[in-house]
Amino acid sequence: MMKKEFSVSCPMDCFDLCRFVVTVENNRIISLQGDKHHPLTKGLICKKGQSLVQRFYHPKRLLWPLIRHKNDFIRASYEDVLDIMAEKLIAIKEIHGPKAILNYTGDGYGGLKGRIQTLFFNCFGGATRVKGSLCWGAGIAAQKYDFGGSKGHFPDDLFNSDMILLWGRNPRETGIHLFTNLKQAQKNGSRVIVIDPVKTPTAGSFDDYIRIHPSTDGALALAMADVIIGNNLHDKEFIDSHVLGFDSFRSYAASFSPERAEAITGISSETIETLALTYAGAKTASIYIGYGLQRYCNSGNTVRCIDALGAITGKIGKKGCGVNYAAKSISPYLNALEIKSREYITAERAFTMGKLGDFLDEEKAPPIRAVFVSSANPLNQSPDLKKTVDAFSKIEFKIVFDHFMTDTARFADIVIPAASVFEQDDVFATSMYSPFLNYSQKAVEPPQGLMPEFEFYLSLASRMGLKNLGFKNSEGYLKKSLAPLLNQFNIQFSDLQDSYFCIEKDRIAWEDMNFETPSGKIELYSEKALKDGLSPFSAFIEPLKNKNGFPLRLLTCHTEDSMHSQEFAFCDDVPVVYLNRITADKYGIKDQSLVYVKGEKSKLKARVCVTENICDSTALIHQGWWHKSGAVNFLTESLISDMGGQAAYYDSFCVIETVD
């Protein structure tokens, strides 16, 4: 059989949404390379993307359904598990109502077909679902108050920036194409300044690095605003035309002098003044906000404070400018089927995603009788894992779809193998950074007998007599999902298969100055926020203080080696805890020694790495380690941000104990 090439999208929950060229011979992938013609990724792919073929052919990949038998799993047929599920779902709905079923989906697989579970349960009559976010909800809510939504400039607009402020973002490890663009912009003469509590590999790659105390970024932004306004560098004409609430904001920011901010942030007043004057004085300046700085209880207001810097200097809606957090361009056109399916819901409820353990433990009206988990690993990624695992394990009927026997799958009653991106046609778009849509071709046939989740739910719907899904097959589903996009831009379904589609009018965020707020302006003062019980203007909320007996703030950042918990499937080492020399000496700990990192409810064993890249009174453990090694979320608490229902992971604290 001749070799054949296929265009396949990266399926991971990533900023960049790479596209691959996959070469297949005899139904086997023999190579995976980056698509050199892609406008953003240009053939460059990260190690996580490169590992997809290894994961695909890994001997521990699940290839058939499994049913729990005592303390182990036995192989089952799809007919058996479909019969069991149909019977259980009908019985639970009749006795307890659809709210007794939990539909838990995540972004472990980013294609449109990953939405089939939610569509199924909407058409079934509803379910309990998640709201809020483990990832980025606070920042999304903040920019909705300020601008009416989150829009980002196209990636190549970075080259129009004289100055780039990278705030709490580490693209060298989590968004390699932004990092590549930053280095090219620097080479072209742009100044790149990195603000972060941790001297990340990104921060170490640029000359200008400013270390800030965790959870104090709002105070820095307000002090910068005070300097800008005090030096008459704010854009009065822009403010008069496009900004609501400037006077209230100015009065509040005036209480944050650089000297006051120095005491809060640990950044010298001179540095704060220089940073403010540099940003305001640049003809074009852009800000790129990371997700780390909005994983605190005060994080939504922090993002609002940073948004205000762009507003008062008029650096919104112009080339080389903007406050870039998310980039919702194509994705709003892809929700029509899900929205339509909601008309079949007869009963539903929602709970905050970061409170899974609390919800399962406390909700009794009715309690959850069944849970369906897809594209997610909540027993690894949820905070307060001890409570979450205990409560999850008590649910009487638990279904998990995945490629491997994850921490969540181990607690399931039925485990269904998930299809790979290589085994099905699909369409991908991200709201994070890349503005391009990826049509992903099926490259290989699934292993004999493996049924992709999309076909599984079609079979389950047929078995249960559900006829309201609105599509009969994969192609029909994709065409209906894409119809609003195709109709809006007068393109054909076939046009997407070989193109690099983007929405050109979104190249410069808010260029038309039509902000989607109630006033149509940037709202530094938001009546909507006030009605929601929040400060109407961006405010600085003091960071949570450490607790007695737990003096170290625990940061659980992402690593370049894994997308969340995925790659840790193949790692049996203990986690690494990063401490600086002052902290290590305080505990009498040497580099590479074994210690216990203890939170309020649990502790885990870790190996110490002493590094000056970590700030004082802080411990850093990368998130994603599995239970077998020591999952860091056994140490985190189920705190929630001030807005957006964001899990405030970084407001957890710990202590280091020596191993006897």
Side-chain angles (χ1 to χ4, degrees):
M1 187 175 180
M2 293 182 60
K3 296 178 183 178
K4 190 172 180 180
E5 292 184 344
F6 298 88
S7 293
V8 177
S9 177
C10 183
M12 288 187 277
D13 182 22
C14 179
F15 290 93
D16 296 10
L17 197 67
C18 293
R19 192 153 89 165
F20 312 129
V21 176
V22 175
T23 304
V24 174
E25 186 175 25
N26 296 325
N27 198 43
R28 187 170 182 86
I29 298 170
I30 60 174
S31 75
L32 180 149
Q33 298 176 317
D35 181 352
K36 296 179 181 179
H37 302 291
H38 193 279
L40 171 60
T41 61
K42 299 177 181 177
L44 176 65
I45 56 176
C46 73
K47 61 173 65 176
K48 296 185 282 286
Q50 293 168 346
S51 72
L52 283 169
V53 175
Q54 177 192 1
R55 289 175 58 83
F56 182 63
Y57 289 118
H58 198 280
K60 290 187 178 180
R61 184 189 171 195
L62 302 176
L63 298 177
W64 48 78
L66 300 170
I67 295 180
R68 180 173 294 282
H69 180 69
K70 297 181 180 179
N71 293 322
D72 205 350
F73 290 93
I74 59 173
R75 183 170 175 172
S77 70
Y78 279 101
E79 292 297 311
D80 287 342
V81 298
L82 284 165
D83 283 343
I84 294 169
M85 286 188 201
E87 182 180 343
K88 278 282 191 181
L89 286 172
I90 291 170
I92 291 172
K93 182 179 179 181
E94 287 179 351
I95 299 170
H96 306 286
K99 291 192 292 185
I101 301 163
L102 171 55
N103 166 32
Y104 193 106
T105 61
D107 295 311
Y109 174 86
L112 289 183
K113 288 185 178 178
R115 302 178 183 181
I116 184 63
Q117 181 167 297
T118 294
L119 286 168
F120 171 86
F121 279 110
N122 287 352
C123 293
F124 174 71
T128 291
R129 59 180 177 82
V130 298
K131 63 179 180 179
S133 170
L134 296 180
C135 184
W136 67 342
I140 295 294
Q143 293 208 320
K144 189 168 185 177
Y145 287 131
D146 293 336
F147 305 119
S150 289
K151 296 182 179 181
H153 291 229
F154 276 26
D156 58 0
D157 184 60
L158 190 72
F159 302 125
N160 294 316
S161 300
D162 297 327
M163 174 197 175
I164 302 155
L165 198 52
L166 201 64
W167 207 320
R169 195 156 171 168
N170 180 19
R172 182 170 175 181
E173 295 190 308
T174 61
I176 192 171
H177 301 94
L178 172 57
F179 179 76
T180 301
N181 284 349
L182 287 166
K183 293 302 291 184
Q184 183 60 52
Q186 182 188 46
K187 186 177 180 180
N188 294 348
S190 301
R191 184 178 180 184
V192 180
I193 300 174
V194 182
I195 303 170
D196 205 297
V198 179
K199 190 173 184 180
T200 63
T202 300
S205 299
F206 297 98
D207 293 334
D208 292 306
Y209 165 58
I210 299 172
R211 172 166 284 163
I212 186 170
H213 292 334
S215 192
T216 66
D217 306 84
L220 172 59
L222 289 167
M224 290 173 63
D226 180 49
V227 171
I228 291 167
I229 296 168
N231 283 273
N232 205 31
L233 294 175
H234 52 297
D235 189 329
K236 300 181 186 64
E237 183 178 345
F238 182 89
I239 291 168
D240 289 343
S241 299
H242 304 296
V243 177
L244 180 71
F246 173 72
D247 290 338
S248 296
F249 173 78
R250 175 173 55 187
S251 298
Y252 183 73
S255 64
F256 284 85
S257 66
E259 291 73 24
R260 181 187 176 192
E262 177 178 351
I264 297 170
T265 65
I267 303 170
S268 72
S269 58
E270 293 82 4
T271 299
I272 294 172
E273 289 189 40
T274 300
L275 179 63
L277 296 175
T278 302
Y279 174 73
K283 183 177 180 181
T284 56
S286 56
I287 299 176
Y288 284 80
I289 304 176
Y291 298 158
L293 61 74
Q294 53 89 68
R295 289 184 177 140
Y296 303 93
C297 290
N298 64 2
S299 52
N301 272 287
T302 292
V303 174
R304 291 201 68 195
C305 291
I306 297 172
D307 287 346
L309 292 175
I312 66 171
T313 56
K315 292 181 169 62
I316 302 293
K318 301 173 183 176
K319 288 184 178 180
C321 296
V323 182
N324 297 272
Y325 176 75
K328 294 193 174 187
S329 180
I330 292 175
S331 57
Y333 293 93
L334 305 179
N335 297 323
L337 271 182
E338 190 170 335
I339 292 170
K340 178 174 174 50
S341 70
R342 292 188 59 78
E343 70 186 46
Y344 301 110
I345 294 174
T346 59
E348 70 168 347
R349 64 181 167 187
F351 70 94
T352 301
M353 202 171 194
K355 291 281 189 180
L356 175 59
D358 292 333
F359 172 78
L360 293 177
D361 190 51
E362 298 167 7
E363 184 57 55
K364 307 299 181 188
I368 295 298
R369 303 286 179 173
V371 56
F372 284 65
V373 179
S374 67
S375 299
N377 190 5
L379 297 195
N380 180 281
Q381 294 290 291
S382 299
D384 194 0
L385 271 184
K386 187 177 187 306
K387 174 182 277 191
T388 304
V389 170
D390 289 346
F392 187 94
S393 64
K394 295 173 184 175
I395 300 172
E396 63 188 60
F397 189 57
K398 302 174 287 295
I399 308 299
V400 175
F401 295 81
D402 216 303
H403 297 116
F404 296 93
M405 189 60 72
T406 63
D407 289 331
T408 305
R410 287 192 302 109
F411 287 86
D413 297 294
I414 296 178
V415 180
I416 308 295
S420 165
V421 67
F422 302 120
E423 296 167 334
Q424 56 188 342
D425 288 339
D426 210 342
V427 174
F428 292 77
T430 178
S431 297
M432 299 165 71
Y433 178 59
S434 173
F436 298 99
L437 181 143
N438 282 355
Y439 188 94
S440 185
Q441 296 176 310
K442 180 179 179 179
V444 295
E445 292 296 327
Q448 186 174 6
L450 189 146
M451 183 187 299
E453 300 95 300
F454 186 85
E455 279 70 28
F456 184 93
Y457 273 107
L458 286 182
S459 296
L460 183 59
S462 176
R463 190 165 302 232
M464 295 175 63
L466 293 182
K467 299 179 180 179
N468 53 355
L469 290 179
F471 46 86
K472 295 182 179 180
N473 53 40
S474 171
E475 183 176 343
Y477 169 73
L478 292 179
K479 286 183 175 179
K480 286 195 172 185
S481 296
L482 290 165
L485 185 75
L486 301 176
N487 295 336
Q488 178 68 33
F489 297 99
N490 195 28
I491 53 177
Q492 300 298 313
F493 179 71
S494 58
D495 294 338
L496 299 177
Q497 297 183 2
D498 298 311
S499 69
Y500 304 101
F501 177 79
C502 64
I503 301 175
E504 281 293 334
K505 70 179 180 63
D506 292 341
R507 183 166 290 277
I508 307 298
W510 310 114
E511 187 173 26
D512 58 6
M513 296 297 169
N514 290 325
F515 300 99
E516 295 165 8
T517 56
S519 67
K521 295 183 176 183
I522 301 171
E523 295 194 352
L524 297 186
Y525 186 98
S526 169
E527 288 286 349
K528 177 68 167 60
L530 185 62
K531 289 178 182 177
D532 291 341
L534 302 168
S535 168
F537 48 80
S538 52
F540 175 66
I541 302 170
E542 289 285 342
L544 290 192
K545 303 297 183 184
N546 59 29
K547 300 180 179 181
N548 290 336
F550 300 94
L552 304 179
R553 183 181 292 275
L554 178 62
L555 300 182
T556 54
C557 305
H558 289 203
T559 170
E560 68 174 331
D561 297 320
S562 180
M563 179 56 65
H564 302 296
S565 63
Q566 291 181 17
E567 293 301 323
F568 286 100
F570 317 121
C571 181
D572 296 316
D573 296 336
V574 298
V576 177
V577 56
Y578 297 89
L579 307 170
N580 72 12
R581 175 61 59 189
I582 295 172
T583 303
D585 288 348
K586 179 179 179 180
Y587 289 96
I589 294 169
K590 296 184 181 295
D591 188 46
Q592 298 303 307
S593 62
L594 287 173
V595 299
Y596 288 114
V597 184
K598 183 179 178 181
E600 282 197 279
K601 297 183 180 179
S602 188
K603 67 180 181 180
L604 58 84
K605 186 178 286 187
R607 188 171 300 280
V608 172
C609 177
V610 178
T611 171
E612 296 316 304
N613 292 337
I614 307 300
C615 51
D616 292 343
S617 302
T618 303
L620 187 153
I621 302 177
H622 288 121
Q623 63 99 349
W625 294 89
W626 283 30
H627 293 191
K628 61 185 178 180
S629 298
V632 71
N633 281 316
F634 280 108
L635 306 180
T636 58
E637 300 181 50
S638 57
L639 300 170
I640 301 299
S641 61
D642 50 0
M643 61 186 73
Q646 168 69 47
Y649 290 107
Y650 294 0
D651 273 333
S652 298
F653 296 88
C654 65
V655 65
I656 305 296
E657 296 180 346
T658 57
V659 174
D660 296 331

